[in-house]
Amino acid sequence: MALFKGNREYFTGVNEIKFEGLESDNPLAFKFYNPTKIIRGKSMKEHLRFAVAYWHSFCGTGADPFGGGTRTFPWEQNNETKMDAMTTAMNKLDAAFEFFSKLSVPYYCFHDRDISPEAETLKDSINNLEKITGEAKLRQKETGIKLLWGTANLFSHPRFMNGAATNPEFKILASGASQVKAAIDATVELEGENYVFWGGREGYGSLLNTDMALERENMARFLSMARDYGRKAGFKGTFLIEPKPMEPTKHQYDFDAATVIGFLKEYDLHRDFKLNIEANHATLAGHSFTHELQVCADANMLGSIDANRGDAQNGWDTDQFPVDIYQTVEAMMVVLNAGGLGSGGLNFDAKLRRNSTDTEDLFIAHIGGMDAFARGLEVADSLLNSNVFSTIKSNRYSSYKIGDGLKFTKGELDFEQLATIALKEKTFPLVSGRQELLENIINQYLFR
Ligand code: XLS
Ligand code: NI
Ligand code: NI
């Protein structure tokens, strides 16, 4: 991969990040992520398909409800006159590609409004996006860095305060369509491998003013039409829905994986759509990250992952970088068992803490996340190769592989026969689930 050289270097003092291994004390080196290391016949790079999220990394200044930003981005500075929005966007693009190439990530992801500025009119905003898309295409060509997915921001502008595809006002729904159309066009132009819908404000605060049935139907219509347009425009990738249970609205329609899969099947969208699972959204929904991944895997709808983590002591979407290897092991076991990420990837939808203000911090945060998943992949691979988990699991369900249990799974028993089988038995076996043993084995393999 070629290092990107723009008009100016933004991340000075940081060179290309390399794999140095566990003995290295260099904070700007990978300890576990060795992109060319082969696992199960594929390189780590091909397994993990890492992506950088444009919004957190190049737009997030650290502002929170109690104070403004703590990071001033050099690509937005100007000594004399105030720099216009398009120049800022161009500089930001240079900075982003410099960062991607120094970090050696194969992919990035963006919202329309992250890469190009919103203008006075929708038409001008679309023109802005088209211009920046052309520039991004050149930089992709130069570096070999690819677009994992594109999406449209249908939640920041005030007109979306009541949602986009579920807005009670039709004109606003239509404005969302014009944005999604342009974002799909940009994704096609940049050969993006997926297109994401996160239902930003698709939900409600109070039933007293909400026609939930109509809103859900409108959302389904909107998604079907977007799908049809995308296919017509030449988009061959996967459409993804990213569940999240709350924040910004109280009741989000895409609550969790099971809800979204039910919705997609209800409206016959399940052939074109898969899911993008974000770790912190899973925990917000009261689930574990792996639960959400497994629900998708079982439905053959595991599309991609937004890799981050929440904070165990609070219930927000804190979007921290993932560091917990125990969790990445569990996640990668689900991914490997599901046959891999396919055209999806591991996108760091994660932000620096507000007081992380050094230029290096953005690199260090991504290095930590990449190492955590790389080690997770290695450990998951050796755990699966050892067969301990599959053996224990298969023994646990062995009663369904013989005799009446087998007949039951084949649909060869009726309910009365099922009930009669039990009457013949005098004792019912208590078989240990052995959860502690399995947990201990993961700890053991972490250090093997
Ligand atoms: C917000 C979401 C968002 C999506 C893309 O919580 O995670 O960042 O990934 O719109
Ligand atoms: Ni996300
Ligand atoms: Ni999030």
Side-chain angles (χ1 to χ4, degrees), residues 98-409:
E98 183 192 327
F99 181 78
F100 305 150
S101 67
K102 284 184 168 171
L103 188 64
S104 296
V105 277
Y107 290 101
Y108 71 111
C109 302
F110 64 74
H111 300 85
D112 50 357
R113 301 301 183 242
D114 307 334
I115 63 165
S116 76
E118 175 128 30
E120 286 289 308
T121 66
L122 282 176
K123 216 157 183 254
D124 289 343
S125 303
I126 292 170
N127 287 339
N128 286 349
L129 179 61
E130 281 172 358
K131 272 189 208 130
I132 298 289
T133 299
E135 294 294 330
K137 195 172 180 177
L138 295 175
R139 285 156 184 73
Q140 286 187 191
K141 233 186 186 158
E142 189 179 330
T143 57
I145 291 158
K146 297 192 259 182
L147 180 64
L148 184 65
W149 49 263
T151 187
N153 178 331
L154 303 184
F155 43 90
S156 292
H157 195 282
R159 72 175 170 274
F160 295 126
M161 69 175 186
N162 291 312
T166 62
N167 200 294
E169 168 55 55
F170 169 69
K171 285 182 185 164
I172 295 175
L173 178 145
S175 83
S178 82
Q179 241 181 278
V180 168
K181 179 181 172 295
I184 289 177
D185 289 343
T187 303
V188 171
E189 182 66 15
L190 295 171
E191 294 176 46
E193 298 187 25
N194 307 272
Y195 183 86
V196 165
F197 292 89
W198 166 56
R201 294 181 195 273
E202 315 295 17
Y204 68 90
S206 169
L207 266 188
L208 299 176
N209 61 11
T210 301
D211 183 344
M212 181 155 61
L214 177 65
E215 292 197 1
R216 285 180 75 257
E217 272 168 32
N218 285 348
M219 185 161 85
R221 256 189 288 271
F222 187 99
L223 291 171
S224 312
M225 291 162 77
R227 183 259 331 260
D228 293 344
Y229 172 74
R231 294 304 180 218
K232 201 175 88 185
F235 178 65
K236 303 223 164 48
T238 314
F239 292 99
L240 301 173
I241 300 222
E242 182 177 324
K244 184 174 182 180
M246 62 193 81
E247 199 214 64
T249 72
K250 166 81 175 96
H251 300 277
Q252 296 275 139
Y253 293 134
D254 297 331
F255 187 92
D256 62 359
T259 309
V260 169
I261 291 168
F263 174 86
L264 291 172
K265 291 196 172 161
E266 183 181 348
Y267 291 102
D268 202 29
L269 289 161
H270 55 287
R271 274 175 288 273
D272 294 280
F273 284 78
K274 288 186 173 177
L275 279 74
N276 181 35
I277 294 301
E278 179 165 320
N280 201 171
H281 296 179
T283 50
L284 267 181
H287 299 305
S288 65
F289 180 28
T290 35
H291 169 84
E292 290 292 85
L293 294 175
Q294 190 66 56
V295 168
C296 295
D298 291 345
N300 199 16
M301 284 169 121
L302 178 56
S304 199
I305 292 177
D306 271 5
N308 64 11
R309 81 184 140 114
D311 181 308
Q313 276 78 49
N314 68 33
W316 309 318
D317 194 17
T318 59
D319 286 346
Q320 287 170 249
F321 278 85
V323 287
D324 184 340
I325 296 184
Y326 201 102
Q327 290 204 356
T328 60
V329 170
E330 289 189 294
M332 289 313 295
M333 282 206 286
V334 179
V335 169
L336 289 179
N337 273 331
L341 286 168
S343 68
L346 285 162
N347 167 48
F348 291 108
D349 193 349
K351 60 182 178 222
L352 291 173
R353 297 307 86 195
R354 187 170 185 269
N355 54 3
S356 298
T357 48
D358 289 348
T359 309
E360 290 185 353
D361 290 330
L362 192 60
F363 285 93
I364 291 172
H366 281 88
I367 290 168
M370 291 163 81
D371 272 339
F373 271 95
R375 184 62 188 148
L377 169 65
E378 287 176 337
V379 176
D381 173 54
S382 43
L383 278 167
L384 296 184
N385 292 342
S386 78
N387 289 327
V388 265
F389 286 80
S390 54
T391 308
I392 289 180
K393 237 190 220 181
S394 131
N395 288 342
R396 199 164 182 233
Y397 296 93
S398 58
S399 63
Y400 291 96
K401 283 172 206 140
I402 44 159
D404 288 336
L406 181 63
K407 277 194 193 158
F408 167 76
T409 62

Side-chain angles (χ1 to χ4, degrees), residues 12-150:
T12 48
V14 183
N15 298 316
E16 195 180 344
I17 309 296
K18 300 239 163 72
F19 171 72
E20 290 184 9
L22 201 48
E23 300 311 314
S24 166
D25 286 322
N26 176 5
L28 291 169
F30 297 118
K31 314 298 179 300
F32 296 111
Y33 180 57
N34 182 359
T36 55
K37 180 175 173 178
I38 301 292
I39 291 176
R40 297 179 171 226
K42 272 202 311 194
S43 69
M44 268 195 171
K45 185 178 165 192
E46 290 167 316
H47 273 286
L48 299 166
R49 299 168 57 84
F50 287 125
V52 171
Y54 215 95
W55 52 103
H56 285 309
S57 293
F58 310 107
C59 311
T61 58
D64 71 10
F66 306 97
T70 52
R71 281 180 288 276
T72 42
F73 293 130
W75 49 88
E76 291 191 353
Q77 273 171 10
N78 187 326
N79 304 332
E80 288 99 49
T81 52
K82 212 174 158 285
M83 201 144 54
D84 71 89
M86 279 303 271
T87 313
T88 297
M90 290 288 299
N91 294 344
K92 201 198 284 187
L93 195 66
D94 278 351
F97 273 83
E98 183 192 327
F99 181 78
F100 305 150
S101 67
K102 284 184 168 171
L103 188 64
S104 296
V105 277
Y107 290 101
Y108 71 111
C109 302
F110 64 74
H111 300 85
D112 50 357
R113 301 301 183 242
D114 307 334
I115 63 165
S116 76
E118 175 128 30
E120 286 289 308
T121 66
L122 282 176
K123 216 157 183 254
D124 289 343
S125 303
I126 292 170
N127 287 339
N128 286 349
L129 179 61
E130 281 172 358
K131 272 189 208 130
I132 298 289
T133 299
E135 294 294 330
K137 195 172 180 177
L138 295 175
R139 285 156 184 73
Q140 286 187 191
K141 233 186 186 158
E142 189 179 330
T143 57
I145 291 158
K146 297 192 259 182
L147 180 64
L148 184 65
W149 49 263

